[in-house]
Amino acid sequence: MIALAVFVGLSGLVCLTLAVVNPRRTWARPRGPEAREPSAAVVITLRVALLGMAVTSAWWTADGLRVATVDPGPDHDDIVERMEAAAEELTSGEPRQKYPAGDGAWAAYIVDEIRRPGEDVVLRLASASSNTERYEADGICLTVVASVAPGEPEPKYAHIDDRRYKLEADVKDRPCP
């Protein structure tokens, strides 16, 4: 990330240098009376475009360096607290329905609890069996065990599970097995 920010910053310096230097000097020298020099409008447009690219590059460089150095994201203990809050949220309240997504049946409930806007906390499904799923984020394992809630009927169709499940969740501060 720092290398990309430095590259964008150097590109911005090149754009700024080309905008400040007289474009008529950098233009190809005329080689005869029929050679044409750029008009004043072309020179002004070129300078404005180069200054715009230099300002944009400076902005991206500052933001890239800020992200790479000052704002590294949530620390490990913060993610542990968020995973524990997600486990508590899963086990409290009414039984829940499964999401028929490829990321696990309970991932949507967990993601809402552990992510904040603009953060790169990656939650992945580590393993899944018929009633147990393990999710991992930053080396923290959240195990969710689902059991059919009392009084739920058998599904009408084999490929659609519309039953509600009672959940038990446990968080371990280590990678999932």
Side-chain angles (χ1 to χ4, degrees), residues 28-86:
R29 292 190 169 229
R31 293 197 175 111
E34 69 277 351
R36 299 184 307 166
E37 283 194 20
S39 68
V42 169
V43 171
I44 291 172
T45 303
L46 181 63
R47 281 187 164 174
V48 168
L50 287 169
L51 283 174
M53 288 190 291
V55 168
T56 304
S57 296
W59 182 271
W60 285 357
T61 300
D63 190 51
L65 290 174
R66 180 192 59 82
V67 167
T69 57
V70 176
D71 191 15
D75 63 345
H76 184 78
D77 293 335
D78 189 30
I79 296 175
V80 169
E81 288 176 17
R82 292 180 192 182
M83 293 284 272
E84 288 172 348

Side-chain angles (χ1 to χ4, degrees), residues 16-131:
L16 181 65
T17 303
L18 289 174
V20 171
V21 171
N22 185 1
R24 291 181 193 275
R25 286 185 163 190
T26 60
W27 207 269
R29 292 190 169 229
R31 293 197 175 111
E34 69 277 351
R36 299 184 307 166
E37 283 194 20
S39 68
V42 169
V43 171
I44 291 172
T45 303
L46 181 63
R47 281 187 164 174
V48 168
L50 287 169
L51 283 174
M53 288 190 291
V55 168
T56 304
S57 296
W59 182 271
W60 285 357
T61 300
D63 190 51
L65 290 174
R66 180 192 59 82
V67 167
T69 57
V70 176
D71 191 15
D75 63 345
H76 184 78
D77 293 335
D78 189 30
I79 296 175
V80 169
E81 288 176 17
R82 292 180 192 182
M83 293 284 272
E84 288 172 348
E88 187 176 322
E89 175 67 26
L90 280 173
T91 58
S92 65
E94 297 290 318
R96 300 173 186 261
Q97 282 187 310
K98 287 184 177 181
Y99 278 114
D103 295 335
W106 315 111
Y109 296 114
I110 300 168
V111 165
D112 292 342
E113 289 292 323
I114 67 167
R115 287 193 187 152
R116 302 292 186 265
E119 291 181 351
D120 293 332
V121 176
V122 178
L123 179 74
R124 70 175 186 85
L125 180 64
S127 65
S129 65
S130 61
N131 66 342

